[in-house]
C-alpha cells in the first residue's frame, strides 16, 4: 500500500486527457495559477519554467525528469517511482505538450538501477496503450520517454551537471546563464523537473487549481512528500500539507522531544527545539523533503562531521570556495571535537561559510555551509563550551 494518499486517489490518465483538451498556453496558465513550486528543493515556480521553455524557439526540446535523488536523508522519489510511475510519466507527457517537446528523459540515480526494469515495463505498457509514442490518445501529440542511468554522483542532481552527464561528459555544473530552458540538453531548450513536481503537475491537471490551492499556504501551495529518518518512532515517507510546522510533523512521526531537526537534508537548515513552531514552506523553512530528526543524545559536532565529510567527497572541485571551503569547515569541526578551536577561529570559519554561499559556482557549495552556520547560530552555548578557551 502506498503511503501517498493523494497520488493514490488519482484516476489513471485523467490529467493527460484534460491536458489534451487544452491549448499549450492554457496548460502553462493552469500550472502558473496553481502556484506549484519545484519539489527538488529550490522551489522555482513550475509554470514559469515551462513558460520559458515553451517560448524558446527551437526544432527540438526536451523534458528531463530529475530522479538522481542523492541528498542525504531523501528517499521519497524512490517511493513515488516505485508506486506511482504512471503519474510521473503522465506529468512528463503533459510537460511535453506544454513546451513542445517530443522526447522525455528520466535521469535515474545509479543506486536505483533495480527500479529500471519495472519502469521500462510501465513505459512499454504506456506505448501499447497509446499514451506514449506517435498519435497519443488519437491526437497529433508525439512524445516518448527513455531512461538514462546516473553513475552515483550527488553533483549530477544539479541540473546543469545532470545535462553534462547526459551528453556523456563529466558531471560538472555549467555557468548560468544560459539556463537550460534556453540552452539545455544538446544546446536545446530543456526543462529539468523533480519526480514529485511532475507527478504533482499531473494531479493539478486532473483535479484543478482550486483543489490544489485548498492545501498549503499562500506562497507554498499543495501537498508535499517528505522522507523522514533519524531519531523518531515512525520513520518513512509521508504526505503532509505545505506549511506544516516542525512540531506538528514531529508529532505525526513520533519524534516529540527531539533536540533538533535537519530540514532539507545535509544542505538544509538545522532547526533547534525553540523554533519547532516554524512552518516548513518556501517562505519560512524551505525543503526538498528531507527531514532528519536528532534526539537529545546527539552531538551536533558528529552531525556536522558527517555532513561535511559528504560534501568534501561530493564537491566536483571546479571552484575554490567549495573545493577548499568544505575541507576547512570539516577541519574546523575536527578541531572543535578535539577542543583545539578558538572562538576567533570559529568566527573565521563562519565568515568562510558566508563567502562560500556567495562565491561558489553552484548550489552544492552555496548550500553546503548551511548546516554548519545554523548549528553555530542555534547551538552556540553547546559549541562555545567546546572552544579552545574553555578547555
Ligand atoms: C548538488 C545538487 C544536487 C541536486 N540534486 C537533485 C536531485 O537529486 N533531484 C532534484 O530534483 N533536484 C536536485 N537538485 C536541484 C536541481 O538542480 C533542480 O533545481 C531541480 O531538479 C529542478 O526541479 P524542480 O523545479 O522540479 O524542483 C540538486 C541541486 C544541487 C545543487
Ligand atoms: S560549488 Fe562545488 S560542486 Fe559546484 S561547481 Fe563549485 S566545486 Fe563543483
Amino acid at each position: 500500500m502506498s503511503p501517498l494518499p493523494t497520488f493514490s486517489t488519482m484516476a489513471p490518465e485523467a490529467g493527460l486527457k484534460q491536458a489534451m483538451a487544452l491549448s499549450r498556453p492554457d496548460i502553462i496558465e493552469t500550472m502558473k495559477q496553481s502556484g506549484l513550486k519545484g519539489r527538488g528543493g529550490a522551489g522555482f515556480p513550475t509554470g514559469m519554467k515551462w513558460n520559458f521553455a515553451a517560448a524558446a524557439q527551437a526544432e527540438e526540446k526536451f523534458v528531463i525528469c530529475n530522479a538522481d535523488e542523492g541528498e542525504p536523508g531523501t528517499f521519497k522519489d524512490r517511493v513515488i517511482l516505485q508506486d506511482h510511475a504512471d503519474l510521473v510519466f503522465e506529468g512528463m507527457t503533459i510537460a511535453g505538450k506544454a513546451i513542445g517537446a517530443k522526447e522525455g528523459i528520466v535521469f535515474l540515480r545509479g543506486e536505483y538501477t533495480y527500479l529500471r526494469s519495472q519502469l521500462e515495463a510501465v513505459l512499454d505498457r504506456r506505448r501499447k496503450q497509446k499514451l506514449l509514442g506517435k498519435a497519443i490518445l488519437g491526437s497529433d501529440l508525439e512524445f516518448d520517454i527513455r531512461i538514462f542511468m546516473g553513475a552515483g554522483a550527488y553533483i549530477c542532481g544539479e541540473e546543469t551537471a545532470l545535462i553534462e552527464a547526459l551528453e556523456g561528459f563529466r558531471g560538472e555544473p555549467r555557468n548560468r546563464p544560459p539556463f537550460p530552458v534556453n540552452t539545455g540538453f544538446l544546446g536545446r531548450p530543456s526543462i529539468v523537473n523533480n519526480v514529485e513536481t511532475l507527478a504533482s503537475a499531473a494531479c493539478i491537471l486532473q483535479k484543478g487549481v482550486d483543489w490544489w490551492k485548498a492545501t498549503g499556504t499562500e506562497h507554498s501551495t499543495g501537498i508535499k512528500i517528505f522522507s523522514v529518518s533519524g531519531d523518531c518512532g515512525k520513520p518513512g515517507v509521508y504526505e503532509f500539507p505545505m506549511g506544516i510546522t516542525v512540531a506538528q510533523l514531529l508529532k505525526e512521526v513520533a519524534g516529540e522531544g527531539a533536540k533538533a531537526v535537519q530540514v532539507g537534508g545535509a544542505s538544509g537548515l538545522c532547526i533547534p527545539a525553540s523554533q519547532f513552531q516554524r512552518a516548513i514552506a518556501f517562505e519560512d523553512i524551505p525543503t526538498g523533503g528531507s527531514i532528519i530528526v536528532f534526539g537529545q543524545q546527539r552531538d551536533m559536532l558528529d552531525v556536522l562531521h558527517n555532513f561535511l565529510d559528504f560534501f568534501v567527497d561530493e564537491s566536483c572541485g571546479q571552484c575554490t570556495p567549495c573545493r577548499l571551503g568544505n575541507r576547512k569547515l570539516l577541519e574546523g569541526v575536527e578541531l572543535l571535537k578535539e577542543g583545539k578551536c578558538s572562538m576567533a577561529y570559529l568566527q573565521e570559519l563562519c565568515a568562510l561559510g558566508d563567502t562560500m554561499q556567495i562565491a561558489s559556482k553552484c548550489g552544492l557549495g552555496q548550500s553546503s555551509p548551511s548546516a554548519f552556520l545554523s548549528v553555530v547560530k542555534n547551538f552556540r552555548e553547546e559549541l562555545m563550551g567546546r572552544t579552545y578557551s574553555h578547555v
Side-chain angles (χ1 to χ4, degrees), residues 38-44 46 49 66-71 77 154-155 157-159 192-195 197 362-364:
R39 285 352 194 190
F44 193 84
T46 307
K49 187 181 282 189
N66 190 341
D68 197 43
E69 195 167 49
E71 183 70 41
D77 290 342
Y154 169 62
I155 191 58
E158 195 282 336
E159 59 186 14
V192 181
N193 275 128
N194 175 253
V195 170
T197 310
C362 86
L364 192 151

Side-chain angles (χ1 to χ4, degrees), residues 116-371:
R116 184 171 188 172
S117 56
Q118 181 186 331
L119 294 173
E120 295 284 9
V122 176
L123 289 174
D124 278 346
R125 171 175 49 72
R126 292 183 72 83
R127 285 183 197 109
K128 288 189 186 109
Q129 290 174 305
K130 293 273 172 218
L131 298 169
L132 285 176
K134 290 190 171 136
I136 290 176
L137 291 174
S139 72
D140 60 358
L141 181 65
E142 180 181 345
F143 188 77
D144 210 334
I145 298 173
R146 67 182 167 94
I147 296 174
F148 179 96
M149 291 311 303
Y154 169 62
I155 191 58
C156 287
E158 195 282 336
E159 59 186 14
T160 60
L162 182 153
I163 290 169
E164 285 284 302
L166 270 183
E167 292 181 1
F169 301 112
R170 279 175 73 114
E172 291 182 342
R174 294 176 175 173
N175 284 324
R176 296 186 298 180
F179 292 94
V181 285
N182 291 111
T183 309
F185 179 51
L186 303 175
R188 310 284 199 274
S190 309
I191 51 167
V192 181
N193 275 128
N194 175 253
V195 170
E196 182 189 341
T197 310
L198 291 159
S200 303
C203 297
I204 292 165
L205 261 294
Q206 175 175 159
K207 295 269 190 176
V209 165
D210 291 344
W211 165 83
W212 180 256
K213 289 174 85 169
T215 311
T217 70
E218 188 186 345
H219 299 292
S220 303
T221 55
I223 55 147
K224 174 84 193 82
I225 313 298
F226 291 88
S227 321
V228 182
S229 62
D231 302 318
C232 61
K234 296 193 274 177
V237 173
Y238 288 85
E239 171 189 315
F240 292 126
M242 270 292 195
I244 188 170
T245 65
V246 179
Q248 286 167 333
L249 188 148
L250 284 173
K251 198 167 171 219
E252 296 289 336
V253 305
E256 297 110 317
K259 174 178 178 177
V261 175
Q262 183 73 19
V263 182
S267 55
L269 296 176
C270 191
I271 307 296
S274 58
Q275 296 178 25
F276 283 175
Q277 289 311 322
R278 287 177 64 185
I280 302 177
F282 293 110
E283 62 271 32
D284 191 353
I285 315 174
T287 182
S290 165
I291 302 284
I292 308 174
V293 184
F294 297 123
Q296 295 295 337
Q297 77 281 14
R298 295 287 163 195
D299 180 344
M300 299 320 287
L301 289 181
D302 285 344
V303 169
L304 287 182
H305 195 277
N306 201 359
F307 288 168
L308 286 163
D309 220 17
F310 171 79
F311 288 126
V312 167
D313 253 14
E314 298 293 340
S315 165
C316 83
Q318 253 193 104
C319 66
T320 312
C322 171
R323 184 181 66 244
L324 296 184
N326 283 307
R327 277 186 194 282
K328 283 285 164 203
L329 293 185
L330 178 61
E331 280 167 23
V333 170
E334 282 166 353
L335 288 176
L336 273 165
K337 284 174 100 172
E338 292 164 12
K340 292 179 183 166
C341 178
S342 68
M343 197 58 208
Y345 189 56
L346 184 58
Q347 273 162 0
E348 278 183 32
L349 289 174
C350 290
L352 170 66
D354 291 341
T355 305
M356 289 167 67
Q357 289 182 324
I358 299 165
S360 293
K361 178 170 168 175
C362 86
L364 192 151
Q366 288 159 8
S367 60
S368 60
S370 302

